[in-house]
Amino acid sequence: MHNKPIYLFSVSSHPDAVHVNSLDITFFQPEIDFSKYDYFIITSKQASKALQQYEKKEYIKKPALCISKQSAKSFEDLGGQVLAVGKGYGDTLVEKIKQYPKETKWLYLRAELVASDFVLTCKEEGYCIDEKIVYASKCSEALLHVTVPQEAILIFTSPSSVECFLSRHTLLHTHKIIVIGKTTAKALPKNCSYTLSDETTIESCMQIVGKSHEK
């Protein structure tokens, strides 16, 4: 096993890393007439959790276009059917949406703040997407007050986990930085060296740690 401590800034944990919950989540329950829509767009596990506040029979027959394997799994865990899966970031959903007729009615269950403007891109081209804000996230107290050793390996799993970290801490050249996807990488300071995981999963990030130790 490598001797550098691994710090995982994420809502989810991993047994081989020091887990620092990056966000505190608040759920909302806006009124939604599910019968108006053909499909959901789901870009996080939190969106599936937010759905649990509603009558299951009202929404469960609507398939969902999911941004990643994890968001797809979270919807399937509810008993939902996955329409298609993107490559982990919003821009990859545009081509998926364009495979359906413009009359298709989509409902994007989203966070208060989102990192990608894929919905705007689709709307400008005449696609029908409604948005409902079903949760908000803010920097967690745990992340704001964590002490990270100079030689640590840092894994960031969302743009907000990077932004929250940088609001109180500094990335050092002695840190090894691993990010879960391109949108997360964009949140890093310019000229900051990092490794991008092969897949948008925590497991994929942890495999990078294992490989670098083997060298």
Side-chain angles (χ1 to χ4, degrees), residues 91-128:
D91 300 348
T92 62
L93 295 181
V94 176
E95 61 205 57
K96 303 274 184 198
I97 291 166
K98 286 181 179 178
Q99 289 169 10
Y100 293 84
K102 287 190 175 172
E103 302 75 51
T104 304
K105 291 189 166 50
W106 300 88
L107 175 61
Y108 177 26
L109 299 164
R110 53 164 276 199
E112 192 171 38
L113 296 171
V114 288
S116 169
D117 55 3
F118 74 91
V119 170
L120 185 65
T121 305
C122 292
K123 280 182 170 177
E124 283 174 349
E125 294 192 28
Y127 289 88
C128 184

